[in-house]
Amino acid sequence: MNKLIEKPYLIFLLAIPVIMLIGILSGDAVLDINVHDTYYLIAWNQLTLMSSIIFGIIGIGYWIMQKGNRKLSKSLNWIHIGLTFGGILILLILNQLYRIEIMNLEYNINLTLIITLIVLLMIVGQIIFPINIIYGLIKKKNKTSG
């Protein structure tokens, strides 16, 4: 786990093939988002492609900071990784809890509220990434032995 915090780019870059595999296996599946009377449809393969690009940018950002011998905050790394991958895991679990029967409308509304709050928390977690990069650029360089 310590290697994960020292090299956070590994988890982001290794997640890209997994995300792309999910996109390929999803076929023609569509994510539909209902906002009042409007439905927004996003194809899963487009969503996974967009997620892979974002993970690639984040992974390359962490990698450049390490190669530039800049020290990032370990606590900000933990928060960013935890909110990103923990949020994804929680969303996948909560998505399976939706009920189809019309009698469970109140339950689904509450579940939708929880999912929305988790997505907002994940977005806040992504704001931590540039803050950590700026912190690493401002802080003095790592002292290397030799």
Side-chain angles (χ1 to χ4, degrees):
M1 208 47 137
N2 197 19
K3 187 171 190 161
L4 176 68
I5 295 304
E6 291 175 8
K7 298 181 179 181
Y9 62 88
L10 288 176
I11 190 167
F12 286 99
L13 295 178
L14 291 174
I16 292 173
V18 174
I19 293 171
M20 291 304 292
L21 183 64
I22 291 171
I24 292 169
L25 294 178
S26 65
D28 292 338
V30 175
L31 172 69
D32 58 337
I33 301 169
N34 181 9
V35 179
H36 298 291
D37 289 337
T38 306
Y39 281 92
Y40 297 99
L41 302 175
I42 304 171
W44 269 102
N45 55 6
Q46 292 175 350
L47 185 64
T48 56
L49 179 64
M50 184 176 57
S51 299
S52 296
I53 290 170
I54 291 170
F55 276 26
I57 291 170
I58 292 170
I60 290 171
Y62 277 129
W63 180 77
I64 288 172
M65 292 301 288
Q66 184 179 13
K67 292 301 175 187
N69 217 11
R70 297 293 184 163
K71 183 163 179 60
L72 297 173
S73 170
K74 288 185 180 182
S75 60
L76 290 178
N77 284 352
W78 270 109
I79 293 169
H80 181 236
I81 293 169
L83 288 176
T84 301
F85 290 100
I88 291 170
L89 182 64
I90 291 171
L91 287 177
L92 290 174
I93 292 169
L94 290 178
N95 188 38
Q96 300 302 316
L97 297 177
Y98 265 101
R99 297 183 182 161
I100 297 174
E101 297 86 25
I102 193 70
M103 297 302 290
N104 294 317
L105 182 63
E106 179 85 18
Y107 173 82
N108 283 344
I109 289 173
N110 291 336
L111 189 61
T112 302
L113 176 64
I114 293 169
I115 289 173
T116 304
L117 292 175
I118 291 172
V119 168
L120 291 175
L121 192 61
M122 287 175 60
I123 291 170
V124 169
Q126 300 316 302
I127 295 171
I128 291 174
F129 171 68
I131 292 171
N132 199 6
I133 296 294
I134 293 169
Y135 171 81
L137 292 173
I138 292 173
K139 194 170 179 180
K140 292 182 181 178
K141 286 188 176 184
N142 281 343
K143 297 191 181 200
T144 56
S145 58

